[in-house]
Amino acid sequence: MDPLSVAGLGLGALSLAFQLFAGCIKGFVLLSTAQHIGKDSSTLVCMLNLQEIQLTEWARRACLLSVPHELDRRLNGAIVQAVLKELESLLLDTEKLKSRYNLGFQAASFSATASCPPVSPSGGILDLAISDETRRDVLFKARLIQNRNTLPQRLRWATVDKSKFEEYVDQIRMFVQELWRLLDPLRQDEMVTGLQQVLSHVVGMSHKLEELNALKDTLENSSIISGSSSSGSPNAPLASAAAIKAFTLGFGDAAGHVPSAAVSSHIPQLRPDKTAFQLISTEIREFTAIQGNPDMGIAKYEETVVFVERKGLPVHSRSKIMGRVQDLAILLGAPKHPEFRALRCKGIALETSASRIAYVFEMPGSSTFQPPVSLKTYFKGNPSVTDRLKLALRITQSVRYFHMAGWLHKNLRSENIILFSPFSLAHPTLAGFTFSRQDSPSQISEQPSADPQRDIYRHPDAMGEPAESFSVAKDVYALGTILLEIGEWRSLKYLVEQVVDLRKSDIALVQLAKIQPFLLDENAKGGLATLRFRMGDIYAAVTKMMLTGEIPRIFTLGKEEVQGFAPNVLDIAVRELGRCIV
């Protein structure tokens, strides 16, 4: 019997659909764990893993993974079985693999009772998106293994043609997508959201260059589902996050240092090669600050209008933080998906006379010399609830992608949400990255200057001399204050004036510490008192979740989450804000 031949399928009390699905899982296990696939193993196996994840999530929504493992009666059983049979044959027919796709295996025996070690993540971290326990349970109940503690014996690839392998995965994808299309549009959208959630976790959990590059390549060349009611390409920003995280990993290995003086007027192509990075020497002229922020504005650089963010850099501390300044400039100069909503950094300028540096960014759209405005100074007029919901969603998505890519903002507030001409709420830009850093325990945080006007956006634990390192939760808290502002359409300084008088020059930290409990107060005069009335239950609950860091039951009760991947606050916030329609 050849290596992938199917063992006898005793139907018993189980449905034919479940047996066919189990055969598909067996095929995925054997193919993705086979050894000696070649130099492109991470990417090729990652492509297989993604299809297995999608098939398993389809089976969960089709009721095949819950007792009694019978297909949801709302689905066309005959079509489901026909598609699963074709897919099972595609995964297990070795003769077809060899003749059609030039994919072969060395002879190896297969036994349903063979004992072998658990599957290791040979395809990288994406392989962990489905637990061995789930695979074993499916195969055991379908009688494809007789021991829950094992999985089918591993095989060895004999021949692998990369282009043919990709063609083979495309054929698998076609059958999986046919199964998805049999679900109703609502469940399709739920699956897309769930898979985006698990893929975001996978990108966030991965810390190996090879894994991240495999994820990037897979996500760039794979659609979650074509024909779904979801718009756009949900994989593209995830691929971008994986690429930026892989890009960032090069920082630690890059040799060299940033020159202590400007050495060239040329703006180099930014890449994680510190020896190639140079400071801008050409003078930045005609700097015009935006309203309310003297360190941020537009200027002229080589006759081009640019956006500039300045940061104090005393001579005595320059050597300590210049490496991070450089890393951040390189990161901000890397290509990013538009949903990151961040400008591309052209380089950094050292303003010696003023003991500061300036991050120089490309301007979006037209290059007219018209200063942008910050959201903090734009709280005027009466924008619709719909426009404010979309604004909150887009800002939340932006922060989520940066976190996914392994970077903390550390300076979130409405002053750093920028609107460029023609000042549309539909196109916010995230700025103010001057204190940003990698999300790593080994990274030392720079402490922003004490300023009560800005401290009101900070988590209580991030004020003064922090007792612990800055974390994702502190960024999320600051984002919650911005959502509160958007909902009330007023600057936070006016919303907290009952507990903090910002007109005073000296405000104690103990007074600032009263802001969080006040914001969470839903009584008559509390911060959340009128948000539910203005923006609805879901928006108010999302804002409160960000301010507390606790996920309420309303967002988990009855929700089908991808197995093994508990949602985080920003995943849920994006999901729920995206479902708000006004």
Side-chain angles (χ1 to χ4, degrees), residues 70-150:
E70 293 180 352
L71 187 69
D72 189 328
R73 294 187 178 183
R74 292 171 291 182
L75 299 177
N76 187 315
I79 295 178
V80 167
Q81 291 173 16
V83 175
L84 284 173
K85 187 174 182 180
E86 290 291 331
L87 179 58
E88 182 190 43
S89 174
L90 184 65
L91 290 165
L92 294 174
D93 190 334
T94 53
E95 293 184 3
K96 186 182 295 184
L97 281 171
K98 179 63 178 176
S99 62
R100 184 180 300 180
Y101 301 104
N102 194 28
L103 303 173
F105 293 92
Q106 290 183 347
S109 61
F110 170 76
S111 170
T113 61
S115 176
C116 63
V119 171
S120 63
S122 58
I125 199 167
L126 192 57
D127 188 62
L128 300 177
I130 303 175
S131 68
D132 281 354
E133 182 181 358
T134 298
R135 295 184 178 103
R136 291 188 186 102
D137 188 59
V138 169
L139 295 175
F140 179 76
K141 289 179 177 178
R143 301 181 185 176
L144 296 180
I145 58 174
Q146 295 182 8
N147 186 334
R148 287 181 183 270
N149 296 322
T150 63

Coordinates of all heavy atoms in Angstrom, one line a residue, residues 70-150:
E70 N -22.3 15.8 12.9 CA -23.1 15.8 11.7 C -23.2 17.2 11.1 O -23.1 18.2 11.7 CB -24.6 15.4 12.1 CG -24.7 14.0 12.6 CD -26.1 13.6 13.0 OE1 -27.0 14.5 13.0 OE2 -26.3 12.4 13.3
L71 N -23.2 17.2 9.8 CA -23.2 18.4 9.0 C -24.4 19.2 9.3 O -25.5 18.7 9.4 CB -23.1 18.0 7.5 CG -22.9 19.2 6.5 CD1 -21.5 19.8 6.7 CD2 -23.2 18.7 5.1
D72 N -24.2 20.5 9.4 CA -25.3 21.5 9.6 C -26.3 21.3 8.4 O -26.0 21.3 7.3 CB -24.7 22.9 9.5 CG -25.8 24.0 9.8 OD1 -27.0 23.8 9.6 OD2 -25.3 25.0 10.4
R73 N -27.6 21.1 8.8 CA -28.6 20.7 7.9 C -29.0 21.9 6.9 O -29.6 21.6 5.9 CB -29.9 20.3 8.6 CG -29.7 19.0 9.4 CD -31.0 18.4 9.9 NE -30.8 17.2 10.6 CZ -31.7 16.5 11.2 NH1 -33.0 16.9 11.2 NH2 -31.4 15.3 11.8
R74 N -28.5 23.1 7.2 CA -28.8 24.2 6.3 C -27.8 24.1 5.1 O -28.1 24.8 4.1 CB -28.6 25.5 7.1 CG -29.6 25.8 8.1 CD -29.2 27.0 8.9 NE -28.1 26.8 9.8 CZ -27.5 27.7 10.6 NH1 -28.1 28.9 10.7 NH2 -26.5 27.4 11.4
L75 N -26.8 23.3 5.2 CA -25.9 23.2 4.1 C -26.3 22.0 3.1 O -27.0 21.1 3.6 CB -24.4 22.9 4.6 CG -23.8 23.9 5.5 CD1 -22.5 23.5 6.0 CD2 -23.7 25.3 4.7
N76 N -25.9 22.1 1.9 CA -26.3 21.1 0.9 C -25.3 19.9 1.1 O -24.1 20.0 0.7 CB -26.1 21.7 -0.5 CG -26.6 20.7 -1.6 OD1 -26.3 19.5 -1.6 ND2 -27.4 21.2 -2.5
G77 N -25.8 18.9 1.7 CA -24.9 17.7 2.0 C -24.3 17.1 0.9 O -23.1 16.7 0.9
A78 N -25.0 16.9 -0.3 CA -24.5 16.3 -1.4 C -23.3 17.0 -2.0 O -22.2 16.5 -2.4 CB -25.6 16.1 -2.5
I79 N -23.4 18.4 -2.1 CA -22.3 19.2 -2.6 C -21.1 19.2 -1.7 O -20.0 19.0 -2.1 CB -22.8 20.6 -2.8 CG1 -23.9 20.6 -3.9 CG2 -21.6 21.5 -3.2 CD1 -24.4 22.0 -4.2
V80 N -21.4 19.3 -0.3 CA -20.3 19.3 0.6 C -19.5 18.0 0.5 O -18.3 18.0 0.5 CB -20.8 19.4 2.1 CG1 -19.8 19.1 3.1 CG2 -21.4 20.8 2.3
Q81 N -20.2 16.8 0.5 CA -19.5 15.5 0.4 C -18.7 15.4 -0.9 O -17.6 14.9 -0.9 CB -20.5 14.4 0.5 CG -21.1 14.3 1.9 CD -22.3 13.3 2.0 OE1 -22.4 12.5 1.1 NE2 -23.1 13.4 3.0
A82 N -19.3 15.9 -2.0 CA -18.6 15.9 -3.3 C -17.3 16.7 -3.3 O -16.2 16.2 -3.7 CB -19.5 16.4 -4.4
V83 N -17.3 17.9 -2.7 CA -16.1 18.7 -2.6 C -15.1 18.1 -1.7 O -13.9 18.1 -2.0 CB -16.5 20.2 -2.1 CG1 -15.3 21.0 -1.9 CG2 -17.4 20.8 -3.2
L84 N -15.6 17.6 -0.5 CA -14.6 17.0 0.4 C -14.0 15.8 -0.2 O -12.8 15.5 0.1 CB -15.4 16.6 1.7 CG -15.7 17.8 2.7 CD1 -16.6 17.3 3.8 CD2 -14.4 18.4 3.2
K85 N -14.7 15.0 -0.9 CA -14.2 13.8 -1.6 C -13.1 14.1 -2.5 O -12.0 13.5 -2.6 CB -15.3 13.0 -2.3 CG -14.8 11.6 -2.8 CD -16.0 10.8 -3.3 CE -15.5 9.5 -3.8 NZ -16.7 8.7 -4.4
E86 N -13.3 15.2 -3.4 CA -12.3 15.7 -4.3 C -11.1 16.2 -3.5 O -9.9 15.9 -3.9 CB -12.9 16.8 -5.2 CG -13.9 16.3 -6.2 CD -13.3 15.4 -7.3 OE1 -12.1 15.6 -7.6 OE2 -14.0 14.5 -7.8
L87 N -11.3 16.9 -2.5 CA -10.2 17.5 -1.7 C -9.4 16.3 -1.0 O -8.1 16.4 -1.0 CB -10.7 18.4 -0.6 CG -9.7 19.1 0.3 CD1 -8.6 19.8 -0.5 CD2 -10.3 20.0 1.3
E88 N -10.1 15.4 -0.5 CA -9.4 14.2 0.2 C -8.5 13.5 -0.8 O -7.4 13.1 -0.6 CB -10.4 13.3 0.8 CG -9.8 12.1 1.5 CD -10.8 11.0 1.9 OE1 -11.7 10.7 1.0 OE2 -10.7 10.5 3.0
S89 N -9.1 13.3 -2.0 CA -8.3 12.6 -3.1 C -7.1 13.4 -3.5 O -6.0 12.9 -3.7 CB -9.2 12.4 -4.3 OG -8.5 11.8 -5.4
L90 N -7.3 14.7 -3.6 CA -6.1 15.6 -3.9 C -5.0 15.5 -2.9 O -3.8 15.6 -3.2 CB -6.6 17.0 -4.1 CG -5.7 18.1 -4.5 CD1 -5.2 17.8 -6.0 CD2 -6.3 19.5 -4.5
L91 N -5.4 15.4 -1.6 CA -4.4 15.3 -0.5 C -3.8 14.0 -0.3 O -2.7 13.9 0.2 CB -5.1 15.8 0.8 CG -5.4 17.3 0.9 CD1 -6.4 17.5 2.0 CD2 -4.2 18.1 1.0
L92 N -4.5 12.9 -0.7 CA -4.0 11.6 -0.4 C -3.6 10.7 -1.6 O -3.0 9.6 -1.4 CB -5.1 10.8 0.4 CG -5.4 11.4 1.8 CD1 -6.6 10.6 2.4 CD2 -4.2 11.3 2.7
D93 N -3.9 11.1 -2.8 CA -3.5 10.3 -4.0 C -2.1 10.6 -4.4 O -1.8 11.6 -5.1 CB -4.5 10.7 -5.1 CG -4.4 9.7 -6.3 OD1 -3.3 9.1 -6.4 OD2 -5.4 9.5 -7.0
T94 N -1.2 9.7 -4.1 CA 0.2 9.9 -4.4 C 0.5 9.8 -5.8 O 1.4 10.5 -6.3 CB 1.1 8.8 -3.6 OG1 0.6 7.5 -3.9 CG2 1.0 9.1 -2.1
E95 N -0.2 9.0 -6.6 CA 0.0 8.9 -8.0 C -0.3 10.2 -8.7 O 0.4 10.6 -9.6 CB -0.8 7.7 -8.6 CG -0.4 6.4 -8.1 CD -1.2 5.3 -8.8 OE1 -2.1 5.6 -9.6 OE2 -1.0 4.1 -8.4
K96 N -1.4 10.8 -8.3 CA -1.8 12.1 -8.8 C -0.7 13.2 -8.5 O -0.4 14.1 -9.3 CB -3.2 12.5 -8.4 CG -3.7 13.8 -9.0 CD -5.1 14.2 -8.4 CE -6.1 13.1 -8.8 NZ -7.4 13.5 -8.3
L97 N -0.3 13.1 -7.2 CA 0.8 14.1 -6.8 C 2.0 14.0 -7.7 O 2.6 15.0 -8.0 CB 1.1 13.8 -5.3 CG 0.2 14.3 -4.2 CD1 0.6 13.8 -2.9 CD2 0.2 15.9 -4.2
K98 N 2.4 12.7 -8.0 CA 3.6 12.5 -8.8 C 3.4 12.9 -10.2 O 4.2 13.6 -10.8 CB 4.0 11.1 -8.7 CG 5.3 10.7 -9.5 CD 6.5 11.5 -9.0 CE 7.7 11.1 -9.8 NZ 8.9 11.8 -9.4
S99 N 2.3 12.4 -10.8 CA 2.1 12.6 -12.3 C 1.7 14.1 -12.6 O 2.2 14.6 -13.6 CB 1.0 11.7 -12.8 OG -0.2 11.9 -12.1
R100 N 0.9 14.7 -11.8 CA 0.3 16.0 -12.1 C 1.2 17.1 -11.6 O 1.3 18.2 -12.2 CB -1.1 16.1 -11.6 CG -1.7 17.5 -12.0 CD -3.2 17.6 -11.5 NE -4.0 16.5 -12.0 CZ -5.3 16.4 -11.7 NH1 -5.9 17.3 -10.9 NH2 -6.0 15.4 -12.2
Y101 N 1.8 16.9 -10.4 CA 2.5 18.0 -9.7 C 4.0 17.8 -9.5 O 4.6 18.6 -8.9 CB 1.8 18.3 -8.4 CG 0.3 18.7 -8.6 CD1 -0.7 17.8 -8.2 CD2 0.0 20.0 -9.0 CE1 -2.0 18.2 -8.4 CE2 -1.4 20.3 -9.2 CZ -2.3 19.4 -8.9 OH -3.7 19.8 -9.0
N102 N 4.4 16.6 -10.0 CA 5.9 16.3 -9.8 C 6.3 16.3 -8.3 O 7.4 16.8 -8.0 CB 6.7 17.2 -10.6 CG 8.2 16.7 -10.8 OD1 8.4 15.5 -10.7 ND2 9.1 17.6 -10.9
L103 N 5.4 15.8 -7.5 CA 5.7 15.8 -6.0 C 5.7 14.3 -5.6 O 4.7 13.6 -5.8 CB 4.6 16.5 -5.2 CG 4.4 18.0 -5.6 CD1 3.2 18.6 -4.9 CD2 5.7 18.8 -5.3
G104 N 6.8 13.8 -5.1 CA 6.9 12.4 -4.8 C 7.5 12.2 -3.4 O 8.1 13.0 -2.8
F105 N 7.2 11.0 -2.9 CA 7.7 10.6 -1.6 C 8.6 9.3 -1.7 O 8.4 8.5 -2.6 CB 6.5 10.2 -0.6 CG 5.6 11.4 -0.3 CD1 4.5 11.7 -1.1 CD2 6.0 12.2 0.8 CE1 3.7 12.8 -0.7 CE2 5.2 13.3 1.1 CZ 4.1 13.6 0.3
Q106 N 9.5 9.2 -0.8 CA 10.3 8.0 -0.7 C 9.4 7.0 0.0 O 8.5 7.3 0.8 CB 11.5 8.2 0.2 CG 12.6 9.1 -0.5 CD 13.8 9.2 0.3 OE1 13.8 8.9 1.5 NE2 14.9 9.7 -0.3
A107 N 9.6 5.7 -0.3 CA 8.7 4.7 0.2 C 8.8 4.6 1.7 O 9.9 4.7 2.3 CB 9.2 3.3 -0.3
A108 N 7.7 4.6 2.4 CA 7.6 4.5 3.8 C 6.3 3.9 4.2 O 5.3 4.2 3.5 CB 7.8 5.9 4.5
S109 N 6.3 3.1 5.2 CA 5.1 2.4 5.5 C 4.2 3.3 6.3 O 4.6 4.2 7.0 CB 5.4 1.1 6.4 OG 6.0 1.5 7.6
F110 N 2.9 3.2 6.1 CA 1.9 3.9 6.9 C 1.0 2.9 7.7 O 0.5 2.0 7.2 CB 1.0 4.8 6.0 CG -0.1 5.4 6.8 CD1 0.1 6.5 7.6 CD2 -1.4 4.8 6.7 CE1 -1.0 7.0 8.4 CE2 -2.4 5.4 7.4 CZ -2.2 6.4 8.3
S111 N 0.9 3.2 9.0 CA 0.1 2.3 9.8 C -0.8 3.2 10.7 O -0.3 4.1 11.3 CB 1.0 1.4 10.7 OG 0.1 0.7 11.6
A112 N -2.0 2.8 10.8 CA -2.9 3.6 11.6 C -2.6 3.4 13.1 O -3.0 4.2 13.9 CB -4.4 3.2 11.4
T113 N -1.8 2.4 13.4 CA -1.5 2.1 14.8 C 0.0 2.5 15.1 O 0.4 2.3 16.2 CB -1.7 0.6 15.1 OG1 -0.8 -0.1 14.3 CG2 -3.1 0.2 14.9
A114 N 0.7 3.0 14.1 CA 2.1 3.3 14.3 C 2.3 4.4 15.4 O 1.5 5.3 15.4 CB 2.7 3.7 13.0
S115 N 3.3 4.2 16.2 CA 3.5 5.2 17.2 C 4.6 6.1 16.8 O 5.7 5.6 16.2 CB 4.0 4.5 18.5 OG 4.4 5.4 19.5
C116 N 4.4 7.4 16.9 CA 5.4 8.4 16.4 C 5.3 9.6 17.3 O 4.3 9.8 18.0 CB 5.2 8.8 15.0 SG 3.6 9.6 14.7
P117 N 6.4 10.4 17.3 CA 6.3 11.6 18.2 C 5.3 12.6 17.7 O 4.9 12.5 16.6 CB 7.8 12.1 18.1 CG 8.3 11.6 16.8 CD 7.6 10.2 16.6
P118 N 4.9 13.5 18.6 CA 3.9 14.5 18.2 C 4.5 15.3 17.1 O 5.7 15.4 16.8 CB 3.8 15.3 19.5 CG 4.3 14.5 20.6 CD 5.3 13.6 20.0
V119 N 3.6 15.9 16.3 CA 3.9 16.8 15.2 C 4.7 18.0 15.8 O 4.3 18.6 16.7 CB 2.7 17.3 14.5 CG1 3.1 18.4 13.5 CG2 2.1 16.1 13.7
S120 N 5.8 18.3 15.2 CA 6.5 19.6 15.5 C 6.2 20.6 14.5 O 5.8 20.3 13.4 CB 8.0 19.3 15.5 OG 8.5 18.9 14.2
P121 N 6.3 21.9 14.8 CA 5.9 22.9 13.9 C 6.9 23.1 12.8 O 7.6 24.1 12.6 CB 5.9 24.2 14.8 CG 6.9 23.9 15.9 CD 6.8 22.4 16.1
S122 N 7.1 22.1 11.9 CA 8.0 22.1 10.8 C 7.7 23.2 9.8 O 8.5 23.7 9.1 CB 8.1 20.8 10.1 OG 6.8 20.4 9.6
G123 N 6.4 23.6 9.8 CA 6.0 24.7 8.9 C 6.1 26.0 9.5 O 5.6 27.0 8.9
G124 N 6.7 26.1 10.7 CA 6.8 27.4 11.3 C 5.6 27.6 12.3 O 4.9 26.7 12.6
I125 N 5.5 28.8 12.8 CA 4.6 29.0 13.9 C 3.1 28.9 13.4 O 2.2 28.6 14.2 CB 4.8 30.4 14.5 CG1 4.2 30.6 15.8 CG2 4.4 31.5 13.5 CD1 4.6 31.8 16.6
L126 N 2.8 29.0 12.1 CA 1.4 28.9 11.7 C 0.9 27.5 11.9 O -0.3 27.3 12.0 CB 1.4 29.3 10.2 CG 0.0 29.5 9.6 CD1 -0.8 30.5 10.3 CD2 0.1 29.8 8.1
D127 N 1.8 26.5 12.0 CA 1.4 25.1 12.2 C 0.7 25.0 13.6 O -0.1 24.1 13.8 CB 2.6 24.2 12.1 CG 2.2 22.7 12.1 OD1 1.4 22.3 11.2 OD2 2.6 22.0 13.1
L128 N 1.0 25.9 14.5 CA 0.5 25.8 15.9 C -0.9 26.4 16.0 O -1.5 26.3 17.0 CB 1.4 26.5 16.8 CG 2.8 26.0 16.9 CD1 3.6 26.9 17.9 CD2 2.9 24.6 17.4
A129 N -1.4 26.9 14.9 CA -2.8 27.5 14.9 C -3.9 26.4 15.1 O -5.0 26.7 15.5 CB -3.1 28.3 13.6
I130 N -3.5 25.2 14.8 CA -4.4 24.1 15.0 C -3.6 23.1 16.0 O -2.5 22.7 15.6 CB -4.8 23.3 13.8 CG1 -5.5 24.3 12.8 CG2 -5.7 22.1 14.1 CD1 -5.8 23.6 11.4
S131 N -4.2 22.8 17.1 CA -3.5 22.0 18.1 C -3.4 20.5 17.6 O -4.3 20.0 16.9 CB -4.2 22.1 19.4 OG -5.4 21.5 19.4
D132 N -2.3 19.9 18.1 CA -2.3 18.4 17.8 C -3.4 17.7 18.5 O -3.9 16.7 17.9 CB -1.0 17.9 18.5 CG 0.3 18.2 17.6 OD1 0.1 18.7 16.5 OD2 1.4 17.9 18.0
E133 N -3.9 18.2 19.6 CA -5.1 17.6 20.2 C -6.3 17.6 19.3 O -7.0 16.6 19.2 CB -5.4 18.4 21.5 CG -6.6 17.8 22.3 CD -6.9 18.6 23.6 OE1 -6.2 19.5 23.8 OE2 -7.9 18.2 24.2
T134 N -6.5 18.7 18.6 CA -7.7 18.7 17.7 C -7.5 17.7 16.5 O -8.4 17.0 16.2 CB -7.8 20.2 17.1 OG1 -8.1 21.1 18.1 CG2 -8.9 20.2 16.0
R135 N -6.3 17.7 16.0 CA -6.0 16.7 14.9 C -6.2 15.3 15.4 O -6.8 14.5 14.7 CB -4.6 16.9 14.4 CG -4.3 18.3 13.7 CD -2.9 18.3 13.1 NE -2.6 19.5 12.4 CZ -1.9 20.5 12.9 NH1 -1.4 20.4 14.2 NH2 -1.6 21.6 12.2
R136 N -5.6 15.0 16.5 CA -5.7 13.6 17.1 C -7.2 13.2 17.3 O -7.6 12.1 17.0 CB -4.9 13.5 18.4 CG -3.4 13.6 18.2 CD -2.7 13.2 19.5 NE -1.3 13.4 19.5 CZ -0.7 14.4 20.0 NH1 -1.3 15.3 20.6 NH2 0.6 14.5 19.9
D137 N -7.9 14.2 17.8 CA -9.3 13.9 18.1 C -10.1 13.6 16.9 O -10.9 12.6 16.8 CB -10.0 15.1 18.9 CG -11.4 14.8 19.4 OD1 -11.5 13.9 20.2 OD2 -12.3 15.5 18.9
V138 N -9.9 14.3 15.8 CA -10.6 14.1 14.6 C -10.2 12.7 14.0 O -11.0 11.9 13.6 CB -10.3 15.2 13.5 CG1 -10.7 14.9 12.1 CG2 -10.9 16.5 14.0
L139 N -8.9 12.5 13.9 CA -8.4 11.2 13.3 C -8.8 10.0 14.1 O -9.1 9.0 13.6 CB -6.9 11.3 13.2 CG -6.3 12.4 12.2 CD1 -4.8 12.4 12.3 CD2 -6.8 12.1 10.8
F140 N -8.8 10.2 15.5 CA -9.2 9.0 16.3 C -10.7 8.7 16.1 O -11.0 7.5 16.0 CB -8.9 9.4 17.8 CG -9.3 8.3 18.7 CD1 -8.5 7.1 18.9 CD2 -10.4 8.4 19.5 CE1 -8.9 6.1 19.8 CE2 -10.8 7.4 20.4 CZ -10.0 6.2 20.5
K141 N -11.5 9.7 16.1 CA -12.9 9.4 16.0 C -13.3 8.9 14.6 O -14.3 8.2 14.4 CB -13.7 10.7 16.2 CG -13.7 11.1 17.7 CD -14.5 12.4 17.9 CE -14.5 12.8 19.4 NZ -15.2 14.0 19.7
A142 N -12.5 9.2 13.6 CA -12.7 8.7 12.3 C -12.0 7.3 12.1 O -12.0 6.8 11.0 CB -12.2 9.7 11.2
R143 N -11.3 6.8 13.1 CA -10.6 5.5 13.1 C -9.4 5.5 12.2 O -9.1 4.5 11.6 CB -11.6 4.4 12.8 CG -12.7 4.3 13.7 CD -13.7 3.1 13.4 NE -14.8 3.1 14.2 CZ -15.8 2.2 14.1 NH1 -15.8 1.3 13.1 NH2 -16.9 2.2 14.9
L144 N -8.8 6.7 12.0 CA -7.6 6.8 11.1 C -6.4 6.6 12.0 O -5.3 6.4 11.5 CB -7.6 8.1 10.4 CG -8.7 8.3 9.4 CD1 -8.6 9.6 8.7 CD2 -8.8 7.2 8.3
I145 N -6.5 6.7 13.3 CA -5.5 6.3 14.2 C -6.2 5.6 15.4 O -7.4 5.8 15.6 CB -4.7 7.5 14.8 CG1 -5.6 8.5 15.5 CG2 -3.9 8.1 13.7 CD1 -4.9 9.6 16.2
Q146 N -5.5 4.7 16.1 CA -6.1 4.0 17.1 C -5.6 4.4 18.5 O -6.0 3.8 19.5 CB -5.9 2.4 17.0 CG -6.6 1.9 15.7 CD -6.3 0.4 15.5 OE1 -5.8 -0.3 16.4 NE2 -6.7 -0.1 14.4
N147 N -4.8 5.4 18.5 CA -4.3 5.9 19.8 C -4.3 7.4 19.7 O -3.7 8.0 18.8 CB -2.8 5.4 20.0 CG -2.2 5.7 21.3 OD1 -2.6 6.7 21.9 ND2 -1.3 4.9 21.8
R148 N -4.9 8.0 20.7 CA -5.0 9.5 20.7 C -3.7 10.2 20.9 O -3.6 11.4 20.7 CB -6.0 9.9 21.8 CG -7.5 9.7 21.5 CD -8.3 10.2 22.7 NE -9.7 9.9 22.5 CZ -10.6 10.7 21.9 NH1 -10.2 11.9 21.4 NH2 -11.9 10.4 21.8
N149 N -2.7 9.5 21.4 CA -1.4 10.1 21.7 C -0.5 10.1 20.5 O 0.7 10.6 20.6 CB -0.7 9.3 22.8 CG -1.5 9.4 24.1 OD1 -2.1 10.4 24.4 ND2 -1.6 8.3 24.9
T150 N -0.9 9.7 19.3 CA -0.1 9.7 18.2 C -0.7 10.4 17.0 O -1.9 10.6 17.0 CB 0.4 8.3 17.8 OG1 -0.8 7.6 17.4 CG2 1.1 7.6 18.9

